[in-house]
Amino acid sequence: AQSVTQPDIHITVSEGASLELRCNYSYGATPYLFWYVQSPGQGLQLLLKYFSGDTLVQGIKGFEAEFKRSQSSFNLRKPSVHWSDAAEYFCAVGGATNKLIFGTGTLLAVQP
Amino acid sequence: SQTIHQWPATLVQPVGSPLSLECTVEGTSNPNLYWYRQAAGRGLQLLFYSVGIGQISSEVPQNLSASRPQDRQFILSSKKLLLSDSGFYLCAWSVLGASGANVLTFGAGSRLTVL
């Protein structure tokens, strides 16, 4: 079955600290992978995506993610978190179909 | 540039009343259109998607229906709302890219509270 697991429901980091949000997927074909961010009461904004090629992808707002096929993972990272990064983050997987499957999200809190 | 609009942004409805949420896309043709629901503390659940006018695929049996009367219009409806229909409803569009992937762009969402 196709699925996305985000094992961390809630993460708190200090401003300026590094961040890694975990994402594991199960997909029967070549996956296309995405990270979206959602501010409270808002829609989802695309942070970055991986289709093929270089397994380290850069996104907006200083985020990056690394695709590791052997681990079925696509973890999101940022070297130094800003208070404005507090939001909910969703990992998603899709393929040559019309649908994306989303994880349950990780809520990020940033301490001053 | 492409834009997506959803309305209403917020809706409070009594149990048993009808529902109509509307989504329109501008600046693109023949988009794929989607309705997702986000319940509190849960991820995004795909409810319906459409690849063309009058073509609706339902992902989860439920109290809701969707229609696509025009190329860039997608409507989510219910004849009689249930308490469990409360949630945050997100419309999204995509166009199949050269890579073969659909990249979804989301609207701002509609918050539905059923009392």
Side-chain angles (χ1 to χ4, degrees), chain A residues 8-54:
Chain A
D8 303 306
I9 297 173
H10 187 243
I11 283 183
T12 300
V13 300
S14 298
E15 191 169 17
S18 64
L19 171 70
E20 182 169 27
L21 302 182
R22 295 182 290 165
C23 173
N24 292 94
Y25 67 90
S26 174
Y27 199 76
T30 301
Y32 299 134
L33 295 156
F34 307 83
W35 275 99
Y36 284 84
V37 61
Q38 184 181 33
S39 297
Q42 300 297 313
L44 276 70
Q45 180 184 22
L46 181 66
L47 279 177
L48 48 78
K49 59 187 182 291
Y50 171 79
F51 293 160
S52 64
D54 192 346

Side-chain angles (χ1 to χ4, degrees), chain B residues 9 47 50:
Chain B
L47 302 176
S50 171

Side-chain angles (χ1 to χ4, degrees), chain B residues 67-114:
Chain B
S67 61
R68 185 170 177 173
Q70 300 180 45
D71 181 45
R72 289 169 289 176
Q73 183 185 28
F74 204 26
I75 298 171
L76 184 69
S77 304
S78 174
K79 292 182 180 178
K80 290 185 177 182
L81 283 169
L82 306 172
L83 287 174
S84 57
D85 292 324
S86 293
F88 193 50
Y89 290 82
L90 290 157
C91 180
W93 70 272
S94 74
V95 176
L96 191 63
S99 62
N102 280 286
V103 181
L104 270 62
T105 300
F106 285 85
S110 297
R111 172 77 59 192
L112 171 66
T113 303
V114 182

Side-chain angles (χ1 to χ4, degrees), chain A:
Chain A
Q2 301 164 354
S3 65
V4 176
T5 301
Q6 293 181 247
D8 303 306
I9 297 173
H10 187 243
I11 283 183
T12 300
V13 300
S14 298
E15 191 169 17
S18 64
L19 171 70
E20 182 169 27
L21 302 182
R22 295 182 290 165
C23 173
N24 292 94
Y25 67 90
S26 174
Y27 199 76
T30 301
Y32 299 134
L33 295 156
F34 307 83
W35 275 99
Y36 284 84
V37 61
Q38 184 181 33
S39 297
Q42 300 297 313
L44 276 70
Q45 180 184 22
L46 181 66
L47 279 177
L48 48 78
K49 59 187 182 291
Y50 171 79
F51 293 160
S52 64
D54 192 346
T55 56
L56 184 63
V57 294
Q58 302 297 321
I60 62 172
K61 304 184 181 186
F63 285 92
E64 65 179 25
E66 186 171 12
F67 171 54
K68 293 185 178 180
R69 185 184 298 275
S70 61
Q71 298 178 21
S72 297
S73 69
F74 189 57
N75 294 348
L76 182 71
R77 301 193 295 248
K78 186 169 185 178
S80 178
V81 170
H82 188 262
W83 63 266
S84 60
D85 293 324
E88 191 158 21
Y89 293 80
F90 291 91
C91 181
V93 64
T97 67
N98 294 306
K99 299 180 283 187
L100 282 192
I101 300 167
F102 284 84
T104 52
T106 297
L107 186 61
L108 174 66
V110 180
Q111 287 182 334

